Amino acid sequence: MPLLQQVDALQLVLEALPLLRGGLTAKSARRTTELLQRRLQLDAAAVVDTEVVLAFQGIGSDHHLPGTPIATSLTRRALTEGRVLAAAGPEAIGCARPDCPLGAAMVLPLQVRGQVVGALKLYRRRRRHLGRARARAAEAVARLFSVYLELAELDVQAARVTQAELEALRAQISPHFLFNTLNTIAALTYADAARAHDLIVRFAEFFRDTLNHRGEFATLEDELAYVNAYLEFERARLGDRLRVDVDVAPECRRALLPVLVVQPLVENAINHGIEPRPGPGSVRIAARAEAEGYRIVVSDTGIGIPPERLGRVLERGYGTGLGMGLANVDQRLKSLFGLSSGLRIQSAVGEGTDVSFWVPARR
């Protein structure tokens, strides 16, 4: 696929994602089909749910009408099997209209938590082909769309849970991180389109992993794997300015922690320590045995926290985003393991910050 076409595919993602945060609706589908057709240079595009056409744009729109039942056998089979299907020729597509101009098709199911909820449909006119590169880009787009539909479902669920559960769900996905990563990908579409494409795919996988976190606890080994996936995007954004070291003994990796408590500390170290600092800086993740348990430390060589702020950073909502993440982690630790497990913060302006917590060993 030419460079310009790769850029168009990535711009499609960045333009369409905000539309899908409200779920798969006729309105979001209509705008999405317009973007699909224009950005992927298609002759027609459609979005369907599991029963009807939500939107259709391009050739064939005279008989593939929004609100009508799905007409093509290829689409019905893709929805049933839950996998991407492609076809060339009217018979393979399965439209009953003999004068249908659609000649090549790809149907990409959208899934939420393993359940098919709809599909994206890409079309070229007769005697034209979609091409491998366009198909690869479309599959990456569909994967990321599925993740965003899961986020929409998460929003609906959040309205039904208790306040404590709501805060835990919000703690899993940082808007600051989302904003920074999408900006990084947008910038790379022009400088390195192939790398931007790979980041889009990894971003979709990362968000899916985040949403699929289940249970209250995880091992430190699992938490470090999650942090490493997160750091892929921060390294893309900051490049050589960011160095990360991990110093964790094998026996400490079995420590059981509340799920998703290490990554917010690393994110805060990068955003509020390393990023404002001129030049490069480092973040260190360490763990050691301590008092029938384990102490986990995240330290940075960033700008540090002024003394007048240090006593307030664990207040919920204090400052420019620093308080919310740390306060959430602090309260979760204390509620599970007692006051002694809360966050300890040491900092010196111009030198950096250490944030640590203690968890008991498993019995």
Side-chain angles (χ1 to χ4, degrees):
M1 184 185 293
L3 175 61
L4 181 59
Q5 203 168 63
Q6 293 185 47
V7 170
D8 279 342
L10 293 163
Q11 288 295 338
L12 158 66
V13 169
L14 297 174
E15 291 176 46
L17 291 185
L19 304 174
L20 296 176
R21 192 63 191 265
L24 196 60
T25 65
K27 182 178 179 180
S28 65
R30 184 169 58 254
R31 181 65 179 133
T32 299
T33 57
E34 294 171 359
L35 291 170
L36 283 169
Q37 185 188 21
R38 175 162 53 89
R39 290 297 187 184
L40 295 183
Q41 302 173 29
L42 302 166
D43 294 311
V47 176
V48 301
D49 62 16
T50 56
E51 297 179 357
V52 302
V53 178
L54 294 176
F56 193 101
Q57 177 89 8
I59 62 171
S61 59
D62 59 326
H63 60 280
H64 293 284
L65 301 174
T68 60
I70 294 169
T72 62
S73 57
L74 179 71
T75 301
R76 290 194 295 271
R77 187 155 65 90
L79 292 171
T80 300
E81 298 177 8
R83 62 189 181 95
V84 177
L85 294 178
E91 290 185 3
I93 293 174
C95 179
R97 286 280 294 263
D99 60 340
C100 183
L102 303 176
M106 173 175 278
V107 183
L108 305 106
L110 300 172
Q111 299 191 22
V112 174
R113 303 194 186 283
Q115 298 295 315
V116 175
V117 297
L120 306 179
K121 301 171 64 175
L122 317 181
Y123 292 108
R124 297 283 275 173
R125 66 173 66 249
R126 297 188 185 192
R127 293 181 295 278
R128 285 189 176 182
H129 303 283
L130 286 165
R132 287 186 179 180
R134 183 184 283 105
R136 180 171 175 260
E139 289 189 34
V141 167
R143 292 172 68 184
L144 195 56
F145 278 18
S146 291
V147 170
Y148 257 66
L149 290 173
E150 290 188 8
L151 289 174
E153 183 184 81
L154 189 66
D155 282 344
V156 173
Q157 292 176 350
R160 300 173 183 163
V161 298
T162 65
Q163 184 64 30
E165 291 170 322
L166 175 59
E167 290 175 0
L169 289 172
R170 283 176 174 166
Q172 294 182 22
I173 300 171
S174 161
H176 189 88
F177 165 58
L178 175 63
F179 177 81
N180 281 343
T181 303
L182 290 179
N183 272 350
T184 298
I185 293 171
L188 280 172
T189 57
Y190 300 100
D192 189 344
R195 188 182 183 200
H197 173 274
D198 291 340
L199 279 177
I200 283 285
V201 175
R202 290 290 300 119
F203 196 50
E205 293 170 348
F206 177 81
F207 263 70
R208 190 178 300 280
D209 289 345
T210 301
L211 294 168
N212 286 336
H213 264 80
R214 293 292 181 270
E216 199 169 8
F217 297 96
T219 64
L220 179 55
E221 180 78 27
D222 290 337
E223 288 290 286
L224 291 175
Y226 183 78
V227 167
N228 191 54
Y230 157 76
L231 286 171
E232 181 175 351
F233 308 107
E234 295 291 27
R235 290 186 177 109
R237 184 167 68 93
L238 298 176
D240 294 339
R241 290 190 57 209
L242 175 63
R243 176 181 172 181
V244 179
D245 298 308
V246 178
D247 181 16
V248 177
E251 61 272 17
C252 295
R253 292 175 179 267
R254 298 190 297 270
L256 205 59
L257 317 177
V259 69
L260 297 174
V261 293
V262 178
Q263 185 272 334
L265 304 188
V266 175
E267 185 174 349
N268 270 300
I270 293 172
N271 289 338
H272 302 286
I274 304 304
E275 188 173 0
R277 167 195 170 108
S282 64
V283 174
R284 182 172 181 267
I285 307 169
R288 63 178 185 270
E290 179 183 297
E292 298 185 354
Y294 305 94
R295 180 158 296 277
I296 290 85
V297 185
V298 175
S299 56
D300 66 72
T301 60
I303 61 173
I305 304 172
E308 63 271 16
R309 289 191 60 205
L310 188 58
R312 301 190 60 191
V313 294
L314 293 182
E315 295 179 13
R316 191 171 299 277
Y318 177 75
T320 57
L322 179 63
M324 180 59 77
L326 295 184
N328 185 287
V329 172
D330 184 56
Q331 289 301 313
R332 290 174 65 200
L333 288 165
K334 288 177 179 176
S335 66
L336 288 167
F337 303 126
L339 295 179
S340 62
S341 186
L343 293 182
R344 295 182 183 176
I345 303 175
Q346 296 178 310
S347 187
V349 173
E351 297 181 14
T353 302
D354 294 348
V355 181
S356 72
F357 62 90
W358 176 87
V359 294
R362 285 187 283 182
R363 291 185 172 84

